Amino acid sequence: MTRIIAIINQKGGVGKTTTTANLCHALAELGKKVTVIDFDPQGHLAVSFGIISHNLSGIDLALLKEKTIEEQVLPVRENLQIIPAGSKLKDVEQMSNTGSPRGVMLRDALRGQLTDQDFIFIDCPPSSGLLVANGLIATQEILVPMASDFLALQGLSHLMATVKRFEGALKRQYKISVVISRYMSTRRISGQVLNILLSHFPNQILATVIRETALLAECPSFGQTILEYSPKSRSARDFRNLANDFLENRVMTNDNK
Ligand SMILES: Nc1ncnc2c1ncn2[C@@H]1O[C@H](COP(=O)(O)OP(=O)(O)O)[C@@H](O)[C@H]1O
Ligand SMILES: [Mg+2]
């Protein structure tokens, strides 16, 4: 069974793309077959893997039914492939009604595709528009990167309201996991935010905290993940541990914090 996971948070800059790129590479290193969909028209995920071509097509044409998803796959590392955003993805959000329901484009495009994959991750844009709706309708699982600052908490109720709305409409519940993505242990607010998150998401926060480091901010400019840019760094270790947490469902509890 292929697990399909949407990486969502309507707030920008919280570490969605960083988490997607590095977690997916760590899972691929563990031998899992992983496909990542760059669902943000900005195309930063592709850049993170060193793909800099601007006239790529990708998930855009698959949503528009001009290509199949499998035709749009680009191998980037061993066991890891990406479906780029494509230059028309930004138009999809503004698409006029074409007759078919617009929220199910991704779900339909994925049907019967990539069945040999262990995981399909969808790196969603920072919005709550049509693309995110497509991401939520196509998946059973969501992974929410949370930066540990006060403003991150402000967006949380909006995010959870969105998720609840989709759960109600789809008549099913998501498996929800949270990643603490930009943790600064020297800041008291980080610990305070983490405690609040623990009470909101009992047994849903993955055990490993991703710390804020200069290396993690640097590696996309070299088109490398942290596992390549600095494989022995603590950030590489964070992501390897996070990959194991994800596979084994290891979560934080109030007492191991
Ligand atoms: N743990 C981290 N340490 C240092 N920089 C980070 C970390 N996580 C993300 N960043 C940086 O913060 C910025 C926003 O992160 P990004 O993953 O693109 O967020 P999003 O996809 O949610 O908008 C990027 O410049 C990225 O390199
Ligand atoms: Mg992003």
Side-chain angles (χ1 to χ4, degrees):
M1 261 292 276
T2 309
R3 281 168 65 184
I4 308 179
I5 303 112
I7 312 256
I8 61 162
N9 191 328
Q10 83 282 359
K11 201 163 150 38
V14 297
K16 288 182 290 298
T17 300
T18 305
T19 302
T20 310
N22 293 291
L23 173 62
C24 287
H25 195 196
L27 288 168
E29 275 201 351
L30 290 170
K32 301 296 174 190
K33 287 191 187 316
V34 184
T35 300
V36 279
I37 299 177
D38 192 350
F39 219 41
D40 187 336
Q42 294 185 85
H44 288 168
L45 184 63
V47 175
S48 305
F49 288 118
I51 298 167
I52 44 166
S53 169
H54 293 295
N55 49 9
L56 284 173
S57 83
I59 195 67
D60 55 347
L61 296 193
L63 295 176
L64 299 168
K65 294 196 166 77
E66 290 175 33
K67 298 273 187 186
T68 67
I69 284 203
E70 284 172 4
E71 286 173 317
Q72 300 300 74
V73 152
L74 218 57
V76 282
R77 305 291 187 273
E78 195 178 354
N79 294 326
L80 180 59
Q81 54 189 20
I82 185 174
I83 300 166
S87 52
K88 291 187 183 158
L89 190 62
K90 61 180 183 312
D91 306 332
V92 170
E93 197 117 24
Q94 278 93 46
M95 242 170 62
S96 61
N97 215 325
T98 53
S100 57
R102 294 192 299 154
V104 297
M105 291 185 291
L106 181 61
R107 188 189 71 190
D108 289 353
L110 280 167
R111 193 163 284 150
Q113 299 277 298
L114 304 170
T115 50
D116 65 327
Q117 298 292 295
D118 294 304
F119 300 107
I120 299 172
F121 283 88
I122 303 164
D123 182 22
C124 289
S127 71
S128 37
L130 182 63
L131 288 173
V132 173
N134 271 271
L136 283 171
I137 290 170
T139 53
Q140 296 78 44
E141 285 184 51
I142 56 183
L143 186 60
V144 183
M146 288 287 297
S148 49
D149 60 64
F150 175 69
L151 289 177
L153 289 177
Q154 295 293 301
L156 192 61
S157 55
H158 175 74
L159 179 68
M160 292 321 291
T162 304
V163 170
K164 288 258 151 29
R165 194 156 44 80
F166 277 85
E167 286 185 331
L170 299 167
K171 299 191 173 52
R172 55 180 170 85
Q173 286 205 313
Y174 291 101
K175 174 176 164 53
I176 301 175
S177 311
V178 174
V179 184
I180 307 298
S181 54
R182 306 189 64 172
Y183 194 76
M184 287 180 255
S185 55
T186 53
R187 291 197 185 167
R188 202 149 47 105
I189 185 76
S190 279
Q192 290 167 343
V193 168
L194 183 51
N195 279 328
I196 294 168
L197 289 174
L198 271 167
S199 64
H200 277 80
F201 296 97
N203 301 314
Q204 289 175 311
I205 305 181
L206 293 176
T208 302
V209 158
I210 303 300
R211 290 165 282 191
E212 176 90 14
T213 63
L215 288 174
L216 271 177
E218 285 162 26
C219 57
S221 63
F222 296 91
Q224 294 183 327
T225 69
I226 193 67
L227 305 183
E228 298 154 333
Y229 185 64
S230 186
K232 297 211 166 98
S233 62
R234 60 191 181 131
S235 294
R237 214 160 54 230
D238 284 350
F239 274 105
R240 290 202 189 91
N241 289 339
L242 187 71
N244 282 308
D245 293 347
F246 180 80
L247 293 176
E248 293 160 25
N249 218 0
R250 268 198 316 243
V251 293
M252 230 181 256
T253 56
N254 266 312
D255 24 275
N256 72 17
K257 174 53 217 144

